[in-house]
Amino acid sequence: MLRVRVAIGLSLCLLGPTVAYAQQPGQGPPMPIAVDLAKVPPGSWAEYAMTMGQLPPMKMRMALVARTAAGSVIESSVDGGMMAMVGKMIVQMTLSSGAEGSVKKAVMQIGVNDPMELPAAMTGSKPFTKPNSKGLVGSETIKTAAGSFKTKHYRDKTPQGDKVEYWVNEGVPPFGLVKLEVDQKSNPQIKGKSKWEVTAIGSDAKPSITKAAKPFDQAALMKQMMGAGGAGAAKPAPPPAAAPAPKK
């Protein structure tokens, strides 16, 4: 059950990094969008080293994979760590135009299972927003595996009082996020500080979710998160070969 709870938290995390630390979806501070998505070229992406408390490290990728009449199509994915048993988790979101785009549609795919629509309740009422100038700490240069970035440092809190700090630079696509830290103590499922840090950026991203999404099915989703009952489920190791019979 721990893996299921973590996977649910990760799915919310893909919809907005601090949503996962709240007790209910949508209660955490929204994901900062420090750039105008309308000006971000399709194909732009950033990868992050990601840790959540004491869980094994994971890798996350965020990309603007298309722009349609409905809005900007963002794909976020997490693999490694706790996800190794079920495969990569991908959430594809269509965001409406505007500085604080709302989620018009969200689809999740786990491993090679069929993609599934996500209900509006899982996205939160407002999972994205522009950084609030009232939370500006100052300007700092942050060095990561992706390079050195001149950033604006912001500070915020969750409704539960957990401290959130993030650093943004408009040159890091698609959202401008360089680094994020959550010193959360209110969610017992994720113990300790969680952190994102950009490790690479690029411009050649393409959609990973290409099949039509099936309607939301909670029972099927739980099986996928447990690594059972799906095409992407981990297969048990074969039993050891029997020892050869002794020669007579």
Side-chain angles (χ1 to χ4, degrees):
M1 289 301 295
L2 174 61
R3 193 186 336 154
V4 172
R5 292 194 295 268
V6 170
I8 292 172
L10 286 173
S11 68
L12 297 175
C13 188
L14 293 177
L15 293 163
T18 51
V19 172
Y21 308 108
Q23 295 298 325
Q24 297 293 332
Q27 287 187 353
M31 168 120 175
I33 299 182
V35 299
D36 182 352
L37 287 181
K39 297 179 181 179
V40 178
S44 300
W45 58 267
E47 287 187 351
Y48 296 84
M50 177 181 174
T51 57
M52 296 176 67
Q54 299 177 359
L55 299 178
M58 292 166 281
K59 182 175 71 174
M60 181 167 188
R61 181 170 182 169
M62 296 192 297
L64 196 160
V65 295
R67 184 169 288 114
T68 68
S72 299
V73 182
I74 298 289
E75 276 192 355
S76 301
S77 64
V78 168
D79 59 1
M82 292 291 290
M83 298 308 300
M85 290 294 293
V86 297
K88 182 183 295 186
M89 178 185 288
I90 305 171
V91 172
Q92 185 182 87
M93 299 163 284
T94 300
L95 304 184
S96 62
S97 302
E100 299 183 4
S102 60
V103 179
K104 301 186 69 174
K105 181 180 180 180
V107 174
M108 178 190 290
Q109 181 172 329
I110 299 176
V112 295
N113 292 284
D114 289 333
M116 183 184 300
E117 294 181 9
L118 291 179
M122 288 188 71
T123 69
S125 59
K126 188 181 176 185
F128 301 94
T129 189
K130 292 180 64 177
N132 190 335
S133 59
K134 294 181 179 180
L136 180 63
V137 176
S139 299
E140 297 179 20
T141 297
I142 299 293
K143 293 183 179 180
T144 76
S148 181
F149 301 92
K150 294 181 179 179
T151 70
K152 291 183 179 179
H153 177 190
Y154 291 86
R155 185 171 292 147
D156 202 345
K157 284 187 177 182
T158 68
Q160 292 77 25
D162 296 336
K163 185 171 67 175
V164 179
E165 299 197 54
Y166 57 90
W167 294 256
V168 297
N169 177 295
E170 294 184 0
V172 178
F175 294 149
L177 182 64
V178 175
K179 182 178 177 180
L180 180 143
E181 293 183 350
V182 182
D183 189 14
Q184 78 83 35
K185 300 176 182 177
S186 58
N187 191 334
Q189 299 171 10
I190 305 171
K191 299 178 181 179
K193 182 177 291 188
S194 296
K195 179 179 177 181
W196 292 21
E197 187 171 281
V198 66
T199 58
I201 58 177
S203 58
D204 58 351
K206 296 181 179 180
S208 297
I209 298 179
T210 56
K211 298 172 66 176
K214 293 186 175 181
F216 181 70
D217 184 331
Q218 185 173 355
L221 181 60
M222 292 299 101
K223 287 184 178 180
Q224 292 177 17
M225 289 180 173
M226 288 295 291
K235 296 182 179 179
K247 294 182 179 181
K248 296 182 179 179

